[in-house]
Amino acid sequence: MSLLDELPGAETDTAGADIPQSAKPVSRTRLVFSRLRGMPRFWVGVVGLGAIALWAIFGLVPNAWNYTDLDIYNMGSSPSSLHWFGTSDIGEDIYAQTIVGLRKSLIIGLLVGPLAAIIAGIVGAVAGYLGGWWDRVLVWFIDLLLVLPSLFLFILLSPIFKSLSWVALIFLLAGFGWMIMARVIRAQTRSLRERDFIKAARFMGVDTWTIIRRHILPNVSSLLIIDATLGVGGAILSETTLSFFGFGIQAPDVSLGTLLAAGQSAAATRPWLFIFPAAILVFTVLSASLIGDALRDAVDPTSGANRD
């Protein structure tokens, strides 16, 4: 008996190689999280977005002003101990309005991103797995939406949505934000349907929708999670752009886009009307983008190797 045979926790195979008993295969989820732990930009994004979310929830607690209040004695005043971000031309508290606008923009972004990813996953998986005329029709529909100028359609539909709640804007943004990822999911599904575990499920009589739900979608879930995370920042920017030009959130509702639109004309003379909402927008979108970028590199290390 050799010395290696006496070591605890070790076995020797027929070729003489040592195989530790404690060695276990690492799951994909644990591997992704282990990669994320070593990415500083992921933690910067998580801390930043978490701080923004907490500020949006609790930021009004220490403030004495509501976003609809008017201080007629301090109209157009600069930041002070009374009004931390200053006031508008009619005495509105910019700090309170920024928090309320941030809440609205965050809600829209956090709902549009996952909703668009869900649509992309379902449409892409159905087209890729079923093939045939299902694939041709769905791909034609995806290509049609991709070539349509979405901003022009938003402008045309804005009179309809002005009479509706801002919740309608969530479905409008999600309806035009899923096509590219749907094509990616379709390509992945066409590859997955030829795998042995999919063929085995099909030969065992498992119906199509169960295969898509239990086997296809879980195997492309990492792509959908990345798309949903990156979609949060994109949706916030889209909502801000539409509201800035008057086609998104409408008064008396407030969003970061409406605040930027109201303050851009006075950016040179009263910069606090523009700078504070703009800085919050940049910080929020950057934090969400850092998280999505880190997730993408953790799932596929070749997409951005050694960037940290």
Side-chain angles (χ1 to χ4, degrees):
M1 180 180 294
S2 65
L3 180 61
L4 289 176
D5 295 332
E6 299 176 358
L7 292 176
E11 294 180 354
T12 305
D13 62 3
T14 55
D18 298 323
I19 305 176
Q21 292 179 350
S22 59
K24 295 181 180 179
V26 180
S27 66
R28 181 178 178 83
T29 302
R30 295 181 63 182
L31 182 61
V32 168
F33 278 115
S34 66
R35 291 170 180 165
L36 287 175
R37 283 197 296 267
M39 293 183 179
R41 66 182 183 277
F42 172 74
W43 295 110
V44 171
V46 168
V47 172
L49 192 60
I52 283 290
L54 290 175
W55 186 54
I57 296 172
F58 302 108
L60 284 179
V61 173
N63 191 50
W65 299 91
N66 191 21
Y67 80 103
T68 57
D69 293 340
L70 300 179
D71 186 357
I72 60 175
Y73 300 104
N74 293 282
M75 295 186 294
S77 65
S78 59
S80 63
S81 59
L82 184 62
H83 298 283
W84 299 341
F85 286 4
T87 61
S88 66
D89 293 339
I90 59 175
E92 298 166 318
D93 186 74
I94 301 300
Y95 176 85
Q97 289 206 329
T98 300
I99 291 180
V100 174
L102 175 62
R103 287 177 182 175
K104 194 68 60 63
S105 297
L106 276 177
I107 292 173
I108 291 175
L110 292 173
L111 290 177
V112 169
L115 182 58
I118 291 172
I119 297 173
I122 294 174
V123 174
V126 170
Y129 183 77
L130 295 181
W133 69 269
W134 277 95
D135 186 37
R136 290 192 294 271
V137 170
L138 290 175
V139 169
W140 174 84
F141 182 65
I142 292 171
D143 292 340
L144 176 64
L145 291 180
L146 283 173
V147 299
L148 287 176
S150 57
L151 181 60
F152 181 68
L153 290 176
F154 290 153
I155 295 174
L156 289 179
L157 295 174
S158 62
I160 300 175
F161 285 94
K162 282 183 179 180
S163 60
L164 301 175
S165 169
W166 59 269
V167 177
L169 185 62
I170 295 175
F171 296 98
L172 183 64
L173 291 174
F176 285 92
W178 56 271
M179 292 82 72
I180 295 177
M181 180 52 60
R183 292 191 66 91
V184 175
I185 298 300
R186 170 183 173 268
Q188 291 290 322
T189 302
R190 288 170 65 89
S191 174
L192 284 171
R193 71 179 183 181
E194 303 301 326
R195 301 283 293 273
D196 291 340
F197 68 96
I198 298 293
K199 291 181 178 180
R202 191 162 55 242
F203 292 154
M204 292 173 62
V206 180
D207 64 274
T208 298
W209 303 111
T210 301
I211 292 177
I212 291 175
R213 187 179 74 254
R214 293 184 178 178
H215 301 293
I216 299 295
L217 291 178
N219 278 278
V220 297
S221 60
S222 57
L223 294 174
L224 296 176
I225 292 173
I226 295 170
D227 182 61
T229 306
L230 291 174
V232 171
I236 293 175
L237 279 179
S238 297
E239 178 275 321
T240 302
T241 302
L242 291 173
S243 300
F244 181 84
F245 290 108
F247 304 118
I249 302 296
Q250 304 292 326
D253 285 332
V254 179
S255 77
L256 294 179
T258 61
L259 293 176
L260 291 175
Q264 57 101 13
S265 60
T269 57
R270 295 184 299 279
W272 59 87
L273 298 177
F274 185 85
I275 289 178
F276 289 116
I280 296 302
L281 173 64
V282 171
F283 188 80
T284 303
V285 174
L286 179 61
S287 298
S289 299
L290 286 175
I291 297 174
D293 187 63
L295 281 172
R296 180 184 59 201
D297 290 349
V299 172
D300 181 14
T302 61
S303 64
N306 301 323
R307 285 197 293 175
D308 284 309

